Amino acid sequence: MSRSFAELLPTPLDAQSLAELTPLSRVDDLLLLLERWVERGWLRALDRAFVAFLSELDPQADSLVLLAAALTSHQLGHGHVCLDLHETLKEPDFALSLPPEGDLQSGPMLLPSQLLVALDGGAWCQALAGSALVAQADDHSEAAAHRPLVLSGRRLYLRRYWSYERRIAAALRQRLAQQEAAPTDLAQRLDALFGKANPAPDALIDWQKLACALATRSAFSIITGGPGTGKTTTVVRLLALLQAPAVESGQPLRIRLAAPTGKAAARLTESISHQVQSLEVAENVRQKIPSDVTTVHRLLGSRPGTRHFRHHAGNPLPLDVLVVDEASMIDLEMMANLLAALPAHARLILLGDKDQLASVEAGAVLGDLCRDAEAGLYSPQTQAWLQAVSGEDLGKSGLQQGDATQFPLAQQVVMLRHSRRFVQGSGIGQLARLVNQQQAEDARALLAARSHNDLFALALKGEQDRSLERLLLEGLGQGTEGPQGYRHYLGVLADQRPAAGAALEDPCWTLWARSVLEAFDSFQLLCAVRKGPWGVEGLNQRITQALFNAGLIESDQHWYEGRPVLMTRNDYGLGLMNGDIGIALRLPERSTEEAGRQVLRVAFPRNDGSGGVRFVLPSRLNDVETVYAMTVHKSQGSEFAHTALILPESLNPVLTKELIYTGITRAKHWFSLIEPRQGIFDEALRRKVKRLSGLMLGL
């Protein structure tokens, strides 16, 4: 890291107030220390409140147990399902939010590393095992079921998350054991959809064809792959493969499509609707392949203000096949609820990029389940069956051989390996691969070479470097056909505005709004963090000011024409989803009495394949924020013609190769890397998200 934890301590640790504290022997002192951590932003208030609750449950609780509970709770906020006690003791400070964003305080502080310096992992586990608050993982007694913490070997869980993990593992084991009858003419049907296998020795393996084949024989399967590898194309053909025999028998399958967010659902809806129309199948089969995609929350029937859903084990979903796209964004709790609501006979197919960022909430379910995707680990029986039905030669695949008993899940996972978006010679494709493989030096050399016209790197000379504004406003200065900045969409807004006398009902307003929205999608700035000069909050203000100073927008305050906004939560009443982007535009007043008067309305794309636009009054939008800059997390499920990724000037816990990879792969045609300080990109690439879980035990 660029700053050591010692540097976070401006005064000696022997300050009187700290010297008098004995947090490992007195619970009151521990609670006081946790409160200080909360004040500094190192710990969440929720974590401290949880410990206070536990101390009330067990007034005799050991401070070591309560401290472990605080760190376990805090780790949930960082996406970890559990706390590995031995790993924590190697670097205890990483169990807190250190360094936090925007920590401006400067008082002395006691760190976990100083608190736990003499503690042994075995002794910590022993203290937990003897606590009335902690149940052993293999203890199924009624008394153990009421204990809030669960110890499994060296991993400590909050009971709810231990339960989620075990429920998922049990459900998947059951589904993997459930063999489905593949059509007797599967080989012919696959050839009809994909064509016959190319016998040439140098021919590429058709992984899409293999994915469809595998998915026909089990109640559970996963299709993973990077951008442009054809996940959507594959799933549409898979649905045709499953639905055709069912339609022919007079019993069509009930198929539902879902995605974790509204944005991802909208993108899949649009993509699938186009794919289904071009599918070469019988018309009665095509009509039974849905293109409408809903959110997982809406599918399950979320109940506002609760963690419960209308559909569950006692009221399962009325469907036969469920496809979930962007599955990397599904957290542990949601996956547990989804599996519980699936009827026993239904097939579940997960799509997603295993290398993207995991969900914001706890768990990295797709990453865990795709642990062996790269290696393959197909058994000789699986490999022989695949070759027989597909005609593909897996002998040239380079995959490792596995055992179906030892690796049951691997037999139902296919990784798509050939990108059609990033063609041979694509700088973006090469950079994404190098980042994914954590080859920092090669990635840096590729950027420095400037040998690809789809890659650009900007090294800033301080916070006030005006080259940043030039890139953000003007793009890369390669003309109208090159990578754009934010001046482009505002130019479209001004140049293509309909005549002032046109009525609101005139389709010219919708066409104009659609053009502005499409122009805005030609560029997007992505950030790793929210706070600070290189975070979303600071950069949105800076860009707004720069656009105002350049005379491109009429105001830099709140609502103005051209303001782009991002929905920050679902609004089912308006039909707008978390992640939807709209732009404020001046349109004619509806009332005939106010003819000629114009009012601001926010234009949102309908995202249903129709090309339509909906207009919403700003006063009806409560959960929106300006979106010249957005976090990489928020950008998942989106694509932009030109994407710029700006990194902070100091290393941050969120900076990992997964975040960089996700940012790069949001770019369709051009990618720009902006660095306030050299070296952060390289350091981030060397760090990999490692979310702790025990999900893969036995899968």
Side-chain angles (χ1 to χ4, degrees), residues 208 224-232 234 416-421:
Q208 295 184 8
T224 186
T229 51
K231 295 187 290 293
T232 305
T234 304
L416 307 181
R417 299 165 190 264
H418 307 304
S419 177
R420 290 157 179 81
R421 187 201 298 178

Side-chain angles (χ1 to χ4, degrees), residues 226-229 353 417-433 454 639-641 661-671:
T229 51
D353 185 348
R417 299 165 190 264
H418 307 304
S419 177
R420 290 157 179 81
R421 187 201 298 178
F422 302 133
V423 295
Q424 193 72 25
S426 161
I428 296 175
Q430 288 184 46
L431 184 63
R433 281 192 294 276
D454 59 348
E639 294 175 346
F640 309 96
Y661 170 83
T662 304
I664 293 168
T665 54
R666 298 312 91 204
K668 291 172 69 175
H669 303 303
W670 302 280
F671 173 75

Side-chain angles (χ1 to χ4, degrees), residues 51-337:
V51 172
F53 167 71
L54 294 180
S55 69
E56 290 177 9
L57 276 184
D58 182 12
Q60 306 306 314
D62 189 329
S63 288
L64 280 175
V65 173
L66 296 177
L67 178 61
L71 298 180
T72 304
S73 174
H74 190 67
Q75 286 296 284
L76 281 172
H78 291 286
H80 300 287
V81 177
C82 55
L83 183 77
D84 187 311
L85 298 161
H86 288 256
E87 288 297 316
T88 299
L89 288 177
K90 291 178 183 177
E91 293 183 294
D93 297 324
F94 281 104
L96 298 181
S97 295
L98 291 171
E101 292 182 44
D103 181 15
L104 302 176
Q105 297 189 40
S106 58
M109 188 54 62
L110 184 63
L111 293 166
S113 54
Q114 288 132 355
L115 192 62
L116 302 173
V117 65
L119 186 63
D120 172 74
W124 205 2
C125 288
Q126 193 173 352
L128 286 159
S131 172
L133 296 169
V134 182
Q136 294 289 336
D138 56 358
D139 186 349
H140 305 295
S141 67
E142 187 176 344
H146 292 91
R147 295 179 178 179
L149 302 170
V150 177
L151 184 65
S152 175
R154 46 194 266 179
R155 296 190 306 276
L156 183 65
Y157 291 81
L158 271 63
R159 172 162 292 281
R160 180 151 48 89
Y161 288 87
W162 164 256
S163 175
Y164 291 149
E165 199 172 85
R166 294 304 90 206
R167 281 164 51 191
I168 292 171
L172 292 182
R173 276 196 295 271
Q174 184 178 342
R175 291 185 169 277
L176 289 169
Q178 192 176 317
Q179 293 296 310
E180 300 287 333
T184 54
D185 57 349
L186 178 60
Q188 290 81 3
R189 291 182 184 272
L190 285 169
D191 286 347
L193 286 166
F194 293 93
K196 289 188 176 293
N198 188 342
D202 59 345
L204 294 175
I205 294 173
D206 193 338
W207 294 102
Q208 295 184 8
K209 192 176 187 180
L210 296 175
C212 287
L214 270 188
T216 63
R217 69 174 201 166
S218 175
F220 177 70
S221 55
I222 299 175
I223 302 170
T224 186
T229 51
K231 295 187 290 293
T232 305
T233 302
T234 304
V235 82
V236 168
R237 294 181 184 181
L238 171 58
L239 294 178
L241 190 65
L242 295 173
Q243 190 66 285
V247 169
E248 291 163 11
S249 68
Q251 295 180 312
L253 298 169
R254 297 167 299 171
I255 300 172
R256 296 296 304 273
L257 309 172
T261 66
K263 185 75 172 178
R267 253 192 76 207
L268 189 61
T269 296
E270 193 164 7
S271 179
I272 281 188
S273 55
H274 293 310
Q275 297 260 4
V276 170
Q277 294 308 312
S278 61
L279 201 58
E280 293 183 10
V281 294
E283 185 59 33
N284 59 343
V285 174
R286 183 183 289 108
Q287 288 176 358
K288 294 296 181 180
I289 299 174
S291 57
D292 184 40
V293 186
T294 186
T295 63
V296 176
H297 278 86
R298 180 168 273 186
L299 175 78
L300 292 175
S302 61
R303 292 178 170 174
T306 76
R307 307 183 88 102
H308 304 294
F309 296 91
R310 186 161 49 86
H311 291 289
H312 45 76
N315 180 32
L317 291 160
L319 52 79
D320 303 305
V321 179
L322 175 62
V323 176
V324 181
D325 193 25
E326 297 287 355
S328 63
M329 300 166 70
I330 296 183
D331 60 86
L332 195 76
E333 181 177 4
M334 182 54 70
M335 183 59 75
N337 287 322

Side-chain angles (χ1 to χ4, degrees), residues 7 34 75 92 123 164 177 185 197 212 250 326 336 349 376 405 477 504-505 516 560 590 600 644 649:
E7 291 177 295
L34 297 183
Q75 286 296 284
Y164 291 149
D185 57 349
C212 287
E326 297 287 355
I349 301 155
T405 305
L504 182 61
E505 295 74 23
V516 176
Y560 53 85
R590 292 187 184 277
L600 276 180
E649 60 183 346

